[in-house]
Amino acid sequence: MFMKKSEQAKLTREKIIKAAAECFAKKGYSACSMQDIADFCGVSKGALYGHFSSKEDLFKLIINMEHGRGAERALKATQKGPYIEAIISFMGECIQNSGFPIDHRLWAEALAVASRDQAMRQAFMESEKVARGFFKNLIQKGIESGEIDGSIDVDGISILLFALGDGIITRIADDPDFDFMKYSATFAAVVRNILCKQKDNNF
């Protein structure tokens, strides 16, 4: 049975994205060329350009995909409480379970590239803003339920918690001996300490 052209194109596109992610993670964004990506993927450079016009487009797409996955997770977490536990679970899942085509090394590379490249930084921040919007809704649900301190700065706290998650992901990427699960209870206590009224804190 022959595969439809559209199905074949989709599979090739996914193969290219996966190869690009592997190339960026192993060689670094700056050192990775479109030829390198084609070699990782096993396609011609012409075929690669038939799907993506530049490595910049590929890198931005990968960042958008990961932020989109985070937005989906945050939206799912708003469906039911307790919301403080949903926030901790959401953050833990984002830290531990990277999805196609992201891994911890590549997310650390994305953060590094965004710190050096103005255009990439803008793309990263715009993409993150969408994901944080869903996360802020989750925090707001916790405020409305009385679980989270209503006096907190929701926008500021959302940035702080995203930064905390990014930092832990970078630690995982840099230190093969670091076991996040070993510190999961402390991590949960830190998040509660940030979000809850002082009298409710256990940290």
Side-chain angles (χ1 to χ4, degrees):
M1 183 176 178
F2 291 103
M3 188 178 297
K4 292 181 180 179
K5 261 187 149 182
S6 59
E7 293 175 345
Q8 183 61 54
K10 181 181 178 182
L11 288 175
T12 301
R13 181 180 172 85
E14 290 178 353
K15 185 179 178 182
I16 290 170
I17 294 169
K18 183 178 180 180
E22 184 179 358
C23 185
F24 292 141
K26 286 186 175 180
K27 298 189 68 172
Y29 174 76
S30 297
C32 189
S33 68
M34 288 292 272
Q35 184 63 63
D36 291 326
I37 295 169
D39 292 342
F40 267 78
C41 188
V43 301
S44 69
K45 197 172 178 181
L48 176 59
Y49 276 108
H51 288 271
F52 296 97
S53 62
S54 66
K55 71 172 185 178
E56 289 84 355
D57 287 346
L58 265 164
F59 202 70
K60 287 177 182 178
L61 173 64
I62 289 169
I63 290 171
N64 286 337
M65 290 174 69
E66 184 62 13
H67 278 144
R69 189 175 295 107
E72 290 175 2
R73 285 171 171 168
L75 179 61
K76 183 178 179 181
T78 61
Q79 302 307 309
K80 63 177 182 178
Y83 296 106
I84 189 71
E85 299 306 320
I87 289 170
I88 292 167
S89 177
F90 160 79
M91 292 188 66
E93 188 176 355
C94 288
I95 289 167
Q96 294 180 82
N97 302 320
S98 302
F100 173 84
I102 285 282
D103 65 12
H104 295 99
R105 296 172 305 159
L106 183 51
W107 196 246
E109 176 66 9
L111 292 167
V113 172
S115 73
R116 297 189 300 262
D117 185 303
Q118 184 175 355
M120 204 62 70
R121 183 186 312 123
Q122 182 177 355
F124 185 98
M125 297 307 295
E126 288 175 356
S127 178
E128 184 195 73
K129 187 176 180 180
V130 174
R132 277 201 306 108
F134 286 92
F135 185 59
K136 284 159 63 175
N137 288 341
L138 180 55
I139 295 174
Q140 191 61 46
K141 287 267 190 179
I143 291 173
E144 292 168 1
S145 70
E147 298 173 46
I148 294 175
D149 183 359
S151 67
I152 65 171
D153 173 2
V154 175
D155 188 59
I157 289 294
S158 71
I159 293 172
L160 176 64
L161 292 179
F162 263 51
L164 175 61
D166 286 340
I168 295 173
I169 289 171
T170 302
R171 166 64 70 173
I172 293 170
D174 291 344
D175 183 359
D177 295 324
F178 177 74
D179 180 5
F180 173 70
M181 290 306 298
K182 180 179 178 181
Y183 304 101
S184 60
T186 302
F187 170 78
V190 167
V191 175
R192 289 192 187 94
N193 191 62
I194 292 170
L195 293 172
C196 298
K197 295 178 180 178
Q198 292 302 310
K199 66 182 180 62
D200 297 326
N201 290 339
N202 296 315
F203 180 69

